Amino acid sequence: GESVGLHLPTLSVQEGDNSIINCAYSNSASDYFIWYKQESGKGPQFIIDIRSNMDKRQGQRVTVLLNKTVKHLSLQIAATQPGDSAVYFCAVYSGAGSYQLTFGKGTKLSVIP
Amino acid sequence: NAGVMQNPRHLVRRRGQEARLRCSPMKGHSHVYWYRQLPEEGLKFMVYLQKENIIDESGMPKERFSAEFPKEGPSILRIQQVVRGDSAAYFCASSQNGAYEQFFGPGTRLTVL
């Protein structure tokens, strides 16, 4: 089965700096990846996704990078703001026909004003 | 356009009682997923349903847990004879037919005394 791990459980950054959150997955057949943001007491909120036929995808202030060779995924947040403080999860689909999202444990991002 | 709705938001039960958690998917979504989240953990897949059908229940405990998504009305996750270890946040997500992207509700926080 799939397993998803995070490199750091917590991350503190200064307001205005860039944040990088990393994620590793185990199944080379995984074909779709999502980053979610979860604020305290709320459900996960979709941030950005990427398919396995891409290496990079950009959104507003966020970029996701996918390295299939080493099965590594990262989320970059530019000019981090206090409102970005939350727990960030990567979630992975395990291949064609699978509808299960496998989540990592999450990285708690704290933004220092 | 309302998002995924879950109720109740908080539920307290004593050991041995039954818990019923309800989920109304986003308008136009016919696929529903249930996940469980323990404190400081990522979400764990439980079950995937389409209208009147359970498609994948591989993540759901074999005993005491059941789920349904009737033709009319919300999806229900039912936990019979609750135990303290059932205390967790239970999230529902929905998606359109054939879409990867899952949208999450705010969750139901179950506390078993």
Side-chain angles (χ1 to χ4, degrees), chain B residues 2-38:
Chain B
V4 178
M5 311 282 284
Q6 288 188 250
N7 67 83
R9 295 293 309 277
H10 299 274
L11 182 61
V12 179
R13 285 287 177 265
R14 296 192 181 279
R15 280 179 298 169
Q17 291 184 321
E18 178 180 289
R20 280 184 179 240
L21 288 61
R22 287 176 290 278
C23 168
S24 296
M26 284 180 70
K27 188 177 181 181
H29 288 193
S30 56
H31 297 224
V32 166
Y33 314 78
W34 286 94
Y35 292 81
R36 177 164 62 177
Q37 185 179 34
L38 296 171

Side-chain angles (χ1 to χ4, degrees), chain A residues 7-81:
Chain A
H7 291 220
L8 278 179
T10 60
L11 177 65
S12 294
V13 298
Q14 206 72 37
E15 182 178 356
D17 287 352
N18 296 334
S19 303
I20 300 176
I21 301 171
N22 296 303
C23 182
Y25 61 97
S26 63
N27 187 348
S28 56
S30 298
D31 61 356
Y32 182 64
F33 309 84
I34 309 176
W35 281 99
Y36 284 96
K37 173 186 180 183
Q38 187 177 27
E39 297 173 286
S40 180
K42 296 184 178 180
Q45 176 189 356
F46 174 92
I47 302 173
I48 192 168
D49 60 356
I50 189 168
R51 295 186 185 275
S52 58
N53 60 355
M54 303 172 69
D55 297 322
K56 179 179 179 179
R57 189 157 188 234
Q58 287 183 292
Q60 187 178 13
R61 285 202 305 118
V62 294
T63 300
V64 55
L65 298 177
L66 176 63
N67 186 330
K68 295 179 287 294
T69 303
V70 295
K71 297 198 279 288
H72 182 272
L73 188 69
S74 69
L75 175 71
Q76 300 178 3
I77 305 173
T80 312
Q81 302 169 359

Side-chain angles (χ1 to χ4, degrees), chain A residues 1-4 27 30-34 36 91-103, chain B residues 32-35 43-49 55-60 95 99-100 102 104:
Chain A
E2 176 75 79
S3 68
V4 179
N27 187 348
S30 298
D31 61 356
Y32 182 64
F33 309 84
I34 309 176
Y36 284 96
V92 178
Y93 273 110
S94 298
S98 171
Y99 291 92
Q100 293 187 27
L101 272 176
T102 299
F103 281 77
Chain B
V32 166
Y33 314 78
W34 286 94
Y35 292 81
L43 282 71
K44 295 283 194 294
F45 170 82
M46 298 180 73
V47 62
Y48 161 46
L49 310 102
I55 307 301
D56 181 355
E57 56 182 347
S58 59
M60 200 152 69
S95 70
Y100 274 136
Q102 295 182 20
F104 282 83

Side-chain angles (χ1 to χ4, degrees), chain B residues 17-111:
Chain B
Q17 291 184 321
E18 178 180 289
R20 280 184 179 240
L21 288 61
R22 287 176 290 278
C23 168
S24 296
M26 284 180 70
K27 188 177 181 181
H29 288 193
S30 56
H31 297 224
V32 166
Y33 314 78
W34 286 94
Y35 292 81
R36 177 164 62 177
Q37 185 179 34
L38 296 171
E40 311 299 322
E41 297 281 327
L43 282 71
K44 295 283 194 294
F45 170 82
M46 298 180 73
V47 62
Y48 161 46
L49 310 102
Q50 295 177 21
K51 283 285 187 181
E52 300 185 279
N53 286 304
I54 297 174
I55 307 301
D56 181 355
E57 56 182 347
S58 59
M60 200 152 69
K62 294 287 185 283
E63 297 179 352
R64 301 188 299 107
F65 285 73
S66 62
E68 62 177 10
F69 188 17
K71 188 176 180 181
E72 301 291 337
S75 174
I76 306 285
L77 179 67
R78 182 182 178 205
I79 311 173
Q80 295 177 290
Q81 300 174 329
V82 295
V83 300
R84 289 221 173 101
D86 297 332
S87 294
Y90 291 83
F91 291 96
C92 167
S94 72
S95 70
Q96 290 181 318
N97 186 28
Y100 274 136
E101 189 176 328
Q102 295 182 20
F103 295 87
F104 282 83
T108 294
R109 277 141 190 90
L110 172 66
T111 302

